[in-house]
């Protein structure tokens, strides 16, 4: 028997319907880089739940941390604290311990931020002990973003090494910046970000390939309308990675003086987004096409005048649109063949 032919008009209608369904589905799926706007089952403030648990438990106290948490080994050290891989009720956790008493205010500020900003964007707090300058957080075995490329070359994770997944990680990163700029506490600036390696060390890669901010020690408030601006540290900052307004403006002939250094606002974070995203995208098939689509928004991020740079929300909106557009384009070749 002859198979009835399908008219081109019917095929075209089917393709258009497929694209419409795909477009709506992608908008929903990637509206927040693959994560729901409100993480399901989040515990109320002051409580936590580990992956294997069903119920929320109160943050652990000094006594509980001392008696129920066992340190295993040191897994990292920064200017403010050391991190120890530890064990709590057969769960791997991380203890952060102050190492420099002169920086205890930074440590306590980081704890205050962790407590106040618990969300899908921030590493989960499990407990703390202010008297002993100790913080207990959830453990993420893939570590900081500094090891992203090495992780993606492990056979187990090679399937994740795509432009699509890498762009989603960049969307996660910009989502965190947007959250900090519009946080419940007000506008916060990510000051521990004077070079790319330092930025990457502040964030964790989760086992399901999302990004969490982990270090909030240097997170000052800014309110331009009220005249409250910030300076990220008291030393001279150099290099193209930091924003122009963060560099000494009076030339080599004038020695740096902190008191003469003008303050600035959260737009310093926007300047750094293209460089961080460039790291995320890497050099794999499709990454240059993504860079091409992001060229205009990244050019805006690099405006010398901070006021001319886009907001984190504008950057995030553009990233999401580009992701949806490129996935639609990737789906088109098969539909074109149908015609």
């Amino acid at each position: 028997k002859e198979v009835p032919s399908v008219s081109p008009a019917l095929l075209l209608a089917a393709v258009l319907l497929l694209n419409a369904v795909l477009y709506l589905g992608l908008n929903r799926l990637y509206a927040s880089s693959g994560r729901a706007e409100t993480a399901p089952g989040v515990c109320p403030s002051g409580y936590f739940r580990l992956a294997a648990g069903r119920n929320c438990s109160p943050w652990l106290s000094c006594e509980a941390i001392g008696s129920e948490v066992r340190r295993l080994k040191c897994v990292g050290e920064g200017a403010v604290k050391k991190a120890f891989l530890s064990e709590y009720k057969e769960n791997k956790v991380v203890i952060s311990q102050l190492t420099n008493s002169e920086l205890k205010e930074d440590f306590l500020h980081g704890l205050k931020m962790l407590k106040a900003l618990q969300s899908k964007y921030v590493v989960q707090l499990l407990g703390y002990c202010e008297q002993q300058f100790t913080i207990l957080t959830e453990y993420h075995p893939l570590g900081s973003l500094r090891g992203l490329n090495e992780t993606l070359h492990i056979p187990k994770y090679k399937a994740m090494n795509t432009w699509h997944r890498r762009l989603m990680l960049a969307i996660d990163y910009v989502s965190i910046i947007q959250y900090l700029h519009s946080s419940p506490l007000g506008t916060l600036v990510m000051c521990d970000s004077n070079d790319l390696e330092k930025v990457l060390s502040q964030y964790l890669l989760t086992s399901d390939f999302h990004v969490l901010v982990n270090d909030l020690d240097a997170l000052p408030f800014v309110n331009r309308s009220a005249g409250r601006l910030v300076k990220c540290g008291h030393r001279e900052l150099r290099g193209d990675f930091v924003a122009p307004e963060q560099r000494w403006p009076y030339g080599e002939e004038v020695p740096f003086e902190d008191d003469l250094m003008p303050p600035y606002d959260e737009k310093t974070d926007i300047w750094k987004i293209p460089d961080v995203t460039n790291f995320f995208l890497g050099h794999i098939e499709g990454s240059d096409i993504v860079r091409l689509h992001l060229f205009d928004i990244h050019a805006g991020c690099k405006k010398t005048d901070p006021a001319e740079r886009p907001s984190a929300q504008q950057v995030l909106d553009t990233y999401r649109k580009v992701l949806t557009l490129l996935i639609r384009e990737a789906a088109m070749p098969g539909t074109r063949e149908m015609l």
Side-chain angles (χ1 to χ4, degrees):
K1 293 182 180 179
E2 289 187 5
V3 178
S5 61
V6 181
S7 71
L10 208 57
L11 270 176
L12 179 60
V15 169
L16 292 174
L17 179 62
L18 174 64
N19 275 323
V21 171
L22 179 65
Y23 181 74
L24 291 171
L26 287 172
N27 272 336
R28 288 175 184 167
L29 181 61
Y30 300 108
S32 56
S33 69
R35 291 187 281 188
E37 285 297 338
T38 55
V42 170
C43 293
S45 178
Y47 290 79
F48 71 91
R49 177 172 50 222
L50 293 171
R54 293 184 177 181
N55 301 318
C56 294
S57 303
W59 286 337
L60 299 186
S61 63
C62 295
E63 182 181 358
I65 292 174
S67 62
E68 299 180 49
V69 181
R70 182 169 64 97
R71 297 190 188 191
L72 301 177
K73 62 178 180 179
C74 180
V75 290
E77 182 174 3
V80 179
K81 53 189 181 288
K82 275 186 179 180
F84 296 88
L85 176 63
S86 306
E87 193 173 54
Y88 168 68
K89 293 185 177 180
E90 300 183 351
N91 294 287
K92 294 292 191 297
V93 295
V94 175
I95 285 180
S96 297
Q97 185 80 54
L98 177 69
T99 55
N100 185 346
S101 59
E102 294 180 1
L103 298 175
K104 63 182 180 181
E105 293 304 319
D106 292 334
F107 183 92
L108 293 174
H109 179 73
L111 172 58
K112 177 184 176 182
M113 294 295 103
L114 266 179
K115 289 160 64 177
L117 297 174
Q118 285 295 289
S119 64
K120 65 177 182 178
Y121 304 106
V122 179
V123 68
Q124 185 176 207
L125 179 65
L126 309 180
Y128 62 92
C129 181
E130 284 194 38
Q131 297 95 308
Q132 297 175 9
F133 297 98
T134 300
I135 299 172
L136 187 70
T137 55
E138 191 170 15
Y139 173 63
H140 293 278
L142 295 183
S144 80
L145 288 177
R146 285 189 298 187
L148 174 63
N149 288 321
E150 289 76 9
T151 297
L152 288 171
H153 283 96
I154 297 172
K156 179 180 177 181
Y157 298 112
K158 277 190 175 180
M160 310 293 274
N161 195 16
T162 64
W163 68 262
H164 158 256
R165 179 58 63 178
R166 284 174 170 270
L167 178 54
M168 287 182 69
L169 291 174
I171 289 174
D172 277 357
Y173 166 72
V174 178
S175 296
I176 292 170
I177 298 299
Q178 192 278 330
Y179 174 67
L180 296 178
H181 288 186
S182 59
S183 84
L185 302 175
T187 301
L188 300 165
V189 183
M190 195 64 174
C191 263
D192 247 347
S193 57
N194 298 334
D195 58 64
L196 180 60
E197 285 291 307
K198 187 64 174 174
V199 170
L200 298 176
S201 71
Q202 311 301 304
Y203 297 86
L204 296 171
L205 180 64
T206 67
S207 296
D208 61 348
F209 269 71
H210 284 295
V211 178
L212 295 173
V213 62
N214 181 53
D215 194 330
L216 303 175
D217 295 345
L219 203 65
F221 296 91
V222 65
N223 186 339
R224 179 169 282 282
S225 60
R228 182 173 184 172
L229 301 176
V230 302
K231 288 189 284 187
C232 291
H234 304 288
R235 293 180 295 178
E236 183 178 2
L237 301 179
R238 296 175 178 268
D240 293 335
F241 187 81
V242 296
E245 64 271 23
Q246 292 185 279
R247 301 174 212 151
W248 180 243
Y250 303 118
E252 294 288 341
E253 61 278 5
V254 180
F256 177 83
E257 285 188 45
D258 185 41
D259 290 342
L260 298 179
M261 180 67 199
Y264 34 83
D265 64 14
E266 77 279 4
K267 289 298 184 73
T268 57
D269 289 334
I270 304 299
W271 171 273
K272 298 160 189 173
I273 286 175
D275 299 290
V276 179
T277 292
N278 188 53
F279 167 80
F280 278 123
L281 292 177
H283 300 283
I284 62 167
E285 184 179 356
S287 62
D288 285 341
I289 298 297
V290 179
R291 287 185 178 90
L292 184 63
H293 280 79
L294 297 177
F295 180 84
D296 288 342
I297 192 69
H298 283 174
C301 293
K302 292 295 188 179
K303 294 281 189 182
T304 303
D305 182 354
E308 294 181 4
R309 294 173 205 154
S311 66
Q313 185 64 60
Q314 289 172 316
V315 178
L316 181 58
D317 290 343
T318 301
Y319 275 33
R320 289 171 172 168
K321 287 175 184 175
V322 167
L323 176 62
T324 301
L325 172 67
L326 290 177
I327 290 179
R328 285 179 65 209
E329 288 183 352
M332 282 299 289
T335 58
R336 286 197 189 102
E337 290 172 9
M338 290 172 62
L339 293 172

